[in-house]
Amino acid sequence: MTSQPVSALTPSPQPVRPKAASSPLRRLPKGSWLVALVLVVTAALWASARWDEILALGVWRAASQLATLLAASLAMLAMLTVVRARALEPLFGGLDSAVRLHRRLGLAALLLLVVHVLLLAVDALDVGAPVTDVLVPFSSPAARSLDILVFYGLIALGFLAYDKRLRYERWLLLHRGVGLLFVAGTLHAATEPGTLDAFEPLRTWFVILLLVGAGAWAYRVLLFRRLGPRYAYRVHEAAKRNRDTVDVVMRPVVRRMMYEPGTFVFISVPGFGGQGRELHPFSISSTPAHRDLRVSVRQVGDFTRRLTELQPGDPIDVYGPFGGFTPQRFAGFRRLVWVGAGIGITPFLGMLAFERDNEDFRRIWLYYVARDVAAAPYHHEILNSFLEADSYIDYTLWRTSLSGRLTAERIARDIAPLDDYAVMLCGTPAFVADMAAQFRALGLPRSRIITEDLTFR
Ligand SMILES: Cc1cc2nc3c(=O)[nH]c(=O)nc-3n(C[C@H](O)[C@H](O)[C@H](O)COP(=O)(O)OP(=O)(O)OC[C@H]3O[C@@H](n4cnc5c(N)ncnc54)[C@H](O)[C@@H]3O)c2cc1C
């Protein structure tokens, strides 16, 4: 234990190279198999749909048709990834990983849609038809104006969905619009005469995809508040930890939520008037061994700043638990490195408290990265947990004002000669991405790095 950046283990002079990387297939994010399967089925059904006609369509038109079918398939999957259904979490490695997959799938779907229109334009040029029929709505009676307008609408909304400057609630609204437009577009394509209409297996496949996408969208946007895993809690205490951090401790009204340490919940506060319907995600910072549920919150915006207004007894709706950022995922590893930067320490607080009670006796190295002690409101809590937890936990408060940036190499040196550890990282997206890249550069396989970056966009 130390409050200084000094390891309790004897440092080795050379950084240690963790064990060789796993096979490339094992490095694929969870859910990749499902994505690959859906794309292959779509392409195979499309190819067998009307092989002769596909050849007759010409290469540009045929490729353009395939691009749009693949775009629609990816969009439906993208909606499935963020459905917030706990039963689906294992498929994608937790909701947090699913959100990362969602971002990639959404972007890929939009790009494929652009490819679709570009190929149509090339085809028009090829056969000597006016390109404006493909690109400009109402330019001629032959122009498919509705399709063109939906395309531009999707592209505009799609780009805004990747714009991080928008207020979150506005961004969310736009984001939902993209999903709805994709569902409407696919429905339109499935019902009008054409390849989908003509080949029953392909049509059935798209009806299934549509039902999945539309169902996921409806559950997530319209039904989640009513049908989601909701637990009624009441505020027990809302206590400031420092200038901009507050702990909200909640007590179950009847039934407590069971959870794994490291997971997160969405909370909504009905008493917050207009903001009462907002759902905000927070990692659980308490241990499942206790009845009370705690979230530890950095007050960064209008919702989080209001949390200090909470009074004992105020109702809070808790939805969850969600996420795959849990040491359980690394059950096979007996040595874990935990790195929490700033408010990214929160999931580790619950894990640490649980570790104290669960007699698992894993070896853990915990790094709490903060500018200085004043910016580390959980330092003393960790010290206390750590003392009670016995000597298998090694704690370092890494003060950047004193020691500069924490690096993976430094951590590897602290732990050497051991090299069979897994790493859990939590903090801002930039911090997490940088540290994960450093560990990978040291040779740590992706499968041994698990991250949480506290953001959904
Ligand atoms: C899985 C996960 C776990 C998190 N755990 C914690 C934690 O333990 N402690 C903590 O302090 N913060 C945590 N956060 C971040 C926290 O959710 C946001 O800081 C909070 O929602 C900001 O709300 P606001 O209205 O006060 O701020 P705003 O100024 O409105 O938003 C600040 C930023 O927070 C994000 N955000 C805002 N509203 C939401 C929302 N409804 N859902 C998702 N993201 C939103 C957006 O990226 C936004 O740019 C976590 C986020 C995620 C995704």
Side-chain angles (χ1 to χ4, degrees):
M1 179 271 304
T2 175
S3 63
Q4 292 295 316
V6 176
S7 169
L9 296 176
T10 318
S12 113
Q14 290 297 319
V16 162
R17 305 231 156 246
K19 287 208 170 107
S22 56
S23 84
L25 283 182
R26 285 197 59 202
R27 280 189 242 142
L28 288 172
K30 269 201 158 180
S32 304
W33 286 111
L34 182 65
V35 176
L37 182 77
V38 167
L39 292 180
V40 167
V41 172
T42 300
L45 285 174
W46 169 79
S48 47
R50 292 193 292 177
W51 186 241
D52 306 341
E53 284 184 41
I54 287 168
L55 292 179
L57 280 174
V59 63
W60 302 119
R61 209 169 179 78
S64 135
Q65 200 175 64
L66 179 62
T68 187
L69 293 182
L70 294 180
S73 309
L74 289 183
M76 299 305 137
L77 271 181
M79 281 183 264
L80 185 69
T81 50
V82 287
V83 70
R84 289 186 189 166
R86 282 186 6 221
L88 291 180
E89 282 204 297
L91 203 59
F92 303 111
L95 182 56
D96 30 14
S97 313
V99 170
R100 287 194 278 272
L101 182 62
H102 171 87
R103 271 185 227 137
R104 290 188 206 145
L105 292 177
L107 191 60
L110 282 172
L111 290 178
L112 276 170
L113 212 58
V114 173
V115 169
H116 160 70
V117 172
L118 288 179
L119 288 170
L120 277 183
V122 173
D123 178 63
L125 284 175
D126 203 29
V127 298
V131 180
T132 46
D133 280 3
V134 177
L135 299 176
V136 185
F138 310 110
S139 55
S140 81
R144 297 179 56 147
S145 304
L146 183 63
D147 293 3
I148 299 171
L149 285 174
V150 168
F151 167 72
Y152 285 129
L154 265 173
I155 295 302
L157 285 180
F159 275 115
L160 285 173
Y162 287 86
D163 182 349
K164 299 198 172 164
R165 292 164 305 177
L166 276 179
R167 260 201 76 228
Y168 185 81
E169 297 303 324
R170 200 164 294 161
W171 170 86
L172 196 61
L173 202 67
L174 286 175
H175 210 81
R176 290 169 175 176
V178 179
L180 202 57
L181 267 181
F182 253 111
V183 169
T186 312
L187 189 66
H188 170 63
T191 48
E192 71 161 14
T195 307
L196 280 191
D197 188 44
F199 188 54
E200 193 53 44
L202 185 61
R203 202 152 73 103
T204 308
W205 173 242
F206 264 83
V207 168
I208 295 170
L209 288 181
L210 251 177
L211 286 177
V212 167
W217 188 91
Y219 176 77
R220 163 87 165 74
V221 176
L222 307 173
L223 303 172
F224 178 76
R225 293 188 65 87
R226 209 165 309 150
L227 302 182
R230 178 161 64 102
Y231 296 81
Y233 274 77
R234 285 195 186 281
V235 175
H236 178 63
E237 183 185 33
K240 276 288 230 186
R241 292 298 294 238
N242 71 1
R243 199 171 43 85
D244 61 3
T245 311
V246 59
D247 276 348
V248 180
V249 181
M250 297 159 272
R251 195 153 277 185
V253 174
V254 182
R255 192 167 57 109
R256 67 190 271 202
M257 187 185 74
M258 300 309 289
Y259 59 91
E260 277 182 38
T263 49
F264 69 91
V265 289
F266 290 93
I267 66 168
S268 90
V269 184
F272 274 1
Q275 286 176 319
R277 290 193 60 75
E278 291 180 13
L279 286 163
H280 289 260
F282 298 104
S283 301
I284 304 167
S285 64
S286 50
T287 160
H290 294 161
R291 175 182 54 157
D292 286 352
L293 183 73
R294 183 182 71 166
V295 291
S296 301
V297 179
R298 179 136 186 266
Q299 298 179 283
V300 293
D302 43 6
F303 180 87
T304 45
R305 278 194 206 107
R306 289 192 68 181
L307 291 177
T308 25
E309 294 170 18
L310 289 171
Q311 296 298 321
D314 283 351
I316 293 204
D317 287 332
V318 174
Y319 294 79
F322 293 104
F325 191 74
T326 150
Q328 195 52 32
R329 225 171 110 180
F330 283 139
F333 290 96
R334 302 309 299 162
R335 295 181 239 276
L336 295 177
V337 172
W338 293 349
V339 187
I343 199 64
I345 196 65
T346 49
F348 298 115
L349 299 174
M351 293 182 202
L352 190 64
F354 188 64
E355 216 52 44
R356 190 179 55 198
D357 300 324
N358 77 353
E359 298 178 349
D360 198 9
F361 304 117
R362 292 209 224 180
R363 187 79 177 82
I364 289 162
W365 290 264
L366 169 62
Y367 292 82
Y368 183 5
V369 182
R371 197 178 56 254
D372 48 34
V373 179
Y378 296 97
H379 174 53
H380 294 289
E381 175 177 320
I382 295 172
L383 280 182
N384 291 340
S385 285
F386 159 81
L387 287 174
E388 286 175 38
D390 227 339
S391 60
Y392 55 91
I393 293 172
D394 201 49
Y395 169 55
T396 301
L397 172 65
W398 186 274
R399 290 179 279 176
T400 53
S401 59
L402 206 68
S403 319
R405 281 174 64 217
L406 175 64
T407 61
E409 190 154 6
R410 167 64 203 233
I411 294 174
R413 230 188 305 142
D414 285 352
I415 297 170
L418 303 171
D419 67 352
D420 56 351
Y421 50 86
V423 177
M424 300 182 76
L425 306 166
C426 185
T428 60
F431 174 82
V432 166
D434 180 44
M435 283 301 268
Q438 288 185 39
F439 276 109
R440 284 198 303 274
L442 280 183
L444 200 76
R446 266 174 213 271
S447 57
R448 277 207 250 153
I449 305 172
I450 174 171
T451 61
E452 176 81 272
D453 62 15
L454 306 184
T455 181
F456 270 167
R457 64 166 162 173

